[in-house]
């Protein structure tokens, strides 16, 4: 890795780490300075991520050994197309969510919002860049600890109850992660993912049972993070209970689970793993199909808009993992495009729902009749655009994403099941949003009176942030050609792990070979 690229890669970790610590120590009571720092950090991270995407687009995988410790013993950061894409997605989402949080005063509702936000970015960026499983665990813990604080931000009994459940579930997941990592290390003697790919492929038959057990345990942990059925139960209550800005940021949390499944399945347990190749596929696809069904049925049964948005995240994760679990280049490219779409549209929906709930006063986000509320015309338009994007109707990127997924899986033996589930649940999604929208905007228009609010913060900034997310979806649609070519090239790179292994372990890269 060139010196300049090394600086950019390290900057994506150092910047949020130093800024977050600095905010805790020096800016605890200086909200204005913290806000400037957070916005500046997000802007710089977008610049850094854009440079890294441009660098990765050349197709070369590059590694950086922290402290010049040789792989597989030292900490390695690896830049490829997938990690660069996820960094840019995180940075763009973070900037828009931060603008929303500041505009609506969400960051005023408790202490340490800005430092926790920076530590969350540190954990996310680290998880996408790390080249070994133990540091993936470490960055998971960093982002989870930050998310515990963010989830409880603003306090409240319901939020505390959901927060306790969220913490317990993730502690169980972290314990299982450690057990799986320990098992893999005990059998192979390494946790570097490139080195693991080599050793798993050469593992004697007697060790393959233990390695398979560790792989299934790892995938279970990642499926828990990704809210895959039956491990999805924590998500609706957690996301619906927290603030709108935090829920919007959490839209990328489930994608970390999907990222980990993609990375380990294609690199460590890919085609070269012999009898261990894609061993999670037989149960991952059925689970993903059920996840889509449960997610969209949950949307239809939701009694509140926050619940509806949370179940939409579950359904979209099912669609992503459905394409991933086919384990082909043709299906993985569309899955990556759908990750971009579903993250942005999930966040947009949470912000729009939060804006609606703020304006409905005591009626909140309940899907019931209520008098008209302020700015209902603008919010109805935003809600409509978000709805068609979530369910996958034209012209926004949800339609393009689902078309790409359906086309990508058509050669798979299970194509009929995938097509059937995706198309039928799309209809259910349309009905769910039609029910919610007609009650809150259309039928409520005939209710006499208007909800009066004494004060409402960030009327323009909050709506602007939600609209900006929808504009990114429009950008995904208009640039679908080049973006899908990038994701297709990323999928091809994932299924050819040789350059990744060479970049980490070759002597030229500071590796041991």
């Amino acid at each position: 890795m060139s010196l300049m690229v090394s600086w950019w890669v390290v900057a994506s970790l150092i910047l949020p780490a130093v800024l977050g610590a600095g905010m805790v120590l020096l800016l605890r009571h200086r909200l204005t300075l913290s806000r400037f720092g957070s916005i500046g950090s997000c802007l710089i991270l977008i610049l850094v991520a854009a440079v890294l995407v441009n660098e990765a687009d050349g197709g070369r995988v590059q590694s950086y050994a922290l402290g010049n410790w040789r792989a597989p013993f030292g900490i390695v950061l690896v830049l490829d197309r997938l990690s660069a894409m996820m960094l840019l997605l995180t940075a763009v989402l973070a900037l828009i969510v931060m603008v929303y949080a500041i505009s609506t005063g969400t960051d005023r509702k408790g202490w340490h919002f800005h430092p926790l936000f920076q530590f969350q970015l540190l954990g996310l960026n680290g998880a996408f860049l790390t080249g070994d499983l133990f540091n993936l665990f470490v960055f998971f813990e960093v982002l989870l600890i930050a998310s515990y604080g963010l989830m409880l931000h603003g306090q409240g009994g319901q939020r505390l109850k959901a927060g306790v459940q969220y913490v317990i579930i993730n502690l169980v997941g972290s314990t299982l992660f450690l057990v799986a990592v320990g098992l893999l290390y005990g059998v192979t003697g390494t946790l570097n993912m490139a080195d693991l790919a080599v050793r798993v492929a050469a593992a004697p038959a007697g060790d393959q049972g233990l390695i398979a057990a560790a792989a299934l345990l790892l995938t279970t942990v990642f499926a828990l993070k990704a809210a895959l059925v039956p491990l999805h139960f924590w998500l609706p209550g957690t996301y619906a209970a927290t603030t709108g800005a935090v829920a919007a940021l959490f839209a990328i949390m489930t994608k970390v689970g999907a990222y980990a499944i993609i990375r380990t399945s294609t690199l460590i347990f890919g085609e070269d793993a012999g009898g261990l190749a894609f061993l999670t596929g037989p149960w991952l696809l059925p689970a993903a199909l059920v996840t889509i069904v449960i997610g969209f049925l949950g949307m239809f049964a939701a009694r509140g808009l926050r619940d509806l948005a949370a179940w939409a995240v579950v359904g979209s994760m099912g669609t992503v993992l459905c394409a991933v679990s086919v384990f082909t280049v043709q299906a993985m490219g569309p899955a990556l495009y759908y990750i971009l779409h579903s993250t942005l549209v999930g966040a947009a929906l949470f912000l729009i729902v939060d804006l609606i709930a703020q304006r409905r006063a005591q009626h909140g986000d309940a899907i019931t009749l209520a008098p008209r509320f302020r700015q209902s015309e603008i919010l109805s338009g935003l809600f409509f655009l978000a709805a068609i994007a979530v369910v996958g109707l034209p012209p926004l990127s949800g339609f393009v994403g689902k078309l790409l997924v359906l086309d990508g899986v058509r050669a798979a033996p299970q194509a009929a099941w995938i097509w059937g589930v995706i198309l039928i649940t799309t209809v259910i999604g349309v009905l769910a949003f039609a029910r919610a929208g007609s009650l809150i905007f259309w039928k409520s228009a005939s209710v006499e009176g208007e909800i009066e609010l004494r004060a409402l913060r960030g009327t323009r900034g909050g709506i602007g942030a939600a609209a900006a997310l929808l504009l990114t979806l429009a950008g995904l649609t208009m640039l679908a050609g080049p973006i899908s070519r990038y994701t297709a090239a990323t999928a091809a790179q994932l299924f050819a792990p040789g350059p990744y292994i060479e970049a980490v372990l070759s002597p030229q890269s500071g590796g041991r070979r």
Side-chain angles (χ1 to χ4, degrees):
M1 182 179 285
S2 69
L3 182 62
M4 184 59 71
V5 177
S6 303
W7 276 103
W8 288 113
V9 168
V10 173
S12 64
L13 301 182
I14 294 295
L15 177 62
V18 172
L19 190 59
M23 286 175 173
V24 171
L25 295 174
L26 305 173
L27 303 178
R28 289 184 61 189
H29 304 291
R30 299 182 179 182
L31 182 60
T32 303
L33 286 177
S34 295
R35 288 175 166 179
F36 278 116
S38 291
I39 292 292
S41 168
C42 292
L43 287 171
I44 294 173
L45 287 176
I46 288 178
L47 174 64
V48 169
V51 170
L52 293 179
V53 166
N54 183 59
E55 182 70 24
D57 197 27
R60 181 183 165 208
V61 181
Q62 301 182 62
S63 69
Y64 174 72
L66 287 174
N68 206 26
W69 287 87
R70 297 170 61 191
F73 308 107
I75 298 173
V76 180
L77 303 177
V78 184
L79 176 71
D80 65 354
R81 289 176 179 272
L82 179 58
S83 58
M85 183 188 82
M86 297 305 291
L87 287 181
L88 183 58
L89 176 63
T90 303
V92 170
L93 178 67
L95 175 64
I96 297 175
V97 170
M98 181 52 68
V99 169
Y100 180 88
I102 293 173
S103 300
T104 57
T106 302
D107 61 337
R108 288 177 176 272
K109 295 181 177 177
W111 296 101
H112 307 310
F113 178 85
H114 292 279
L116 288 170
F117 198 94
Q118 294 302 315
F119 290 133
Q120 179 91 61
L121 296 182
L122 167 65
L124 289 166
N125 290 350
F128 296 138
L129 282 171
T130 186
D132 68 83
L133 282 179
F134 182 74
N135 283 294
L136 180 62
F137 168 79
V138 171
F139 284 118
F140 262 39
E141 293 307 300
V142 171
L143 70 90
L144 285 173
I145 291 170
S147 72
Y148 299 154
L150 288 172
M151 197 268 151
L152 295 172
H153 181 76
Q155 303 179 357
Q158 184 185 359
R159 191 164 299 165
L160 180 62
K161 181 181 176 183
V164 170
Q165 180 194 30
Y166 177 66
V167 170
I168 292 172
I169 293 296
N170 280 291
L171 286 177
V172 173
S174 298
T175 305
L176 293 177
F177 197 166
L178 268 186
V179 171
V181 164
L183 197 56
L184 268 180
Y185 186 77
V187 178
T188 63
T190 184
L191 289 177
N192 180 285
M193 288 194 274
D195 202 30
L196 270 172
V198 175
R199 299 195 184 199
V200 167
D207 290 342
Q208 291 196 355
L210 284 174
I211 295 174
L216 291 172
L217 205 52
L218 267 183
T219 308
T220 301
V221 174
F222 299 151
L224 176 68
K225 310 293 184 190
L228 188 72
V229 169
L231 304 171
H232 68 291
F233 52 88
W234 60 272
L235 190 147
T238 303
Y239 282 30
T242 190
T243 62
V246 172
L249 181 64
F250 281 8
I252 199 165
M253 294 273 283
T254 50
K255 309 307 182 297
V256 180
Y259 169 85
I261 290 174
I262 293 170
R263 180 66 78 192
T264 53
S265 297
T266 55
L267 177 60
I268 303 173
F269 303 105
E271 291 180 350
D272 296 334
L276 298 170
F278 306 123
L279 76 166
T280 57
W283 64 267
L284 194 60
L285 179 57
L289 290 172
V290 176
T291 302
I292 300 176
V293 174
I294 295 291
F296 279 82
L297 286 177
M299 288 166 58
F300 191 74
R303 296 183 177 181
L305 290 177
R306 288 192 177 97
D307 291 327
L308 184 146
W311 282 111
V313 171
V314 175
S316 69
M317 280 311 302
T319 306
V320 168
L321 292 174
C322 192
V324 168
S325 57
V326 174
F327 292 123
T328 63
V329 175
Q330 293 76 16
M332 188 64 79
L336 298 178
Y337 181 92
Y338 206 81
I339 283 179
L340 298 175
H341 157 77
S342 59
T343 303
L344 296 171
V345 75
L349 189 57
F350 277 117
L351 295 190
I352 294 166
V353 165
D354 193 49
L355 291 168
I356 294 170
Q358 289 175 17
R359 285 153 180 76
R360 294 183 83 207
Q362 71 275 17
H363 300 283
D365 70 319
I367 304 176
T368 55
L369 290 177
R372 286 171 54 83
F373 54 91
R374 194 183 302 178
Q375 296 176 319
S376 60
E377 296 83 3
I378 298 174
L379 291 175
S380 65
L382 295 179
F383 183 81
F384 174 74
L385 290 173
I388 63 174
V390 169
V391 298
L393 295 180
L396 292 179
S397 51
F399 177 70
V400 178
K402 282 196 173 179
L403 274 184
L404 289 173
V405 168
L406 293 176
D407 184 58
V409 303
R410 60 189 165 87
Q414 309 86 353
W417 281 100
I418 299 172
W419 275 60
V421 168
I422 288 179
L423 293 177
I424 291 172
T425 52
T426 296
V427 176
I428 297 174
V430 171
L431 295 174
F433 275 102
R435 166 180 161 267
S438 64
L439 271 173
I440 291 177
F441 297 108
W442 184 26
K443 293 182 180 177
S444 292
S446 60
V447 178
E448 294 184 358
E450 183 170 355
I451 296 174
E452 296 292 338
L453 295 173
R454 292 183 178 177
L456 193 60
R457 295 181 58 87
T459 54
R460 293 182 179 177
I463 290 176
L469 278 172
L470 293 177
L471 283 175
T472 61
L473 298 178
L476 274 181
T477 309
M478 290 186 287
L479 299 175
I483 293 174
S484 60
R485 280 195 289 276
Y486 182 92
T487 56
T490 303
Q493 189 176 61
L494 287 169
F495 282 90
Y500 186 105
I501 296 169
E502 191 69 16
V504 175
L505 298 180
S506 70
Q508 292 78 12
S509 303
R512 65 175 173 78
R513 291 199 310 186

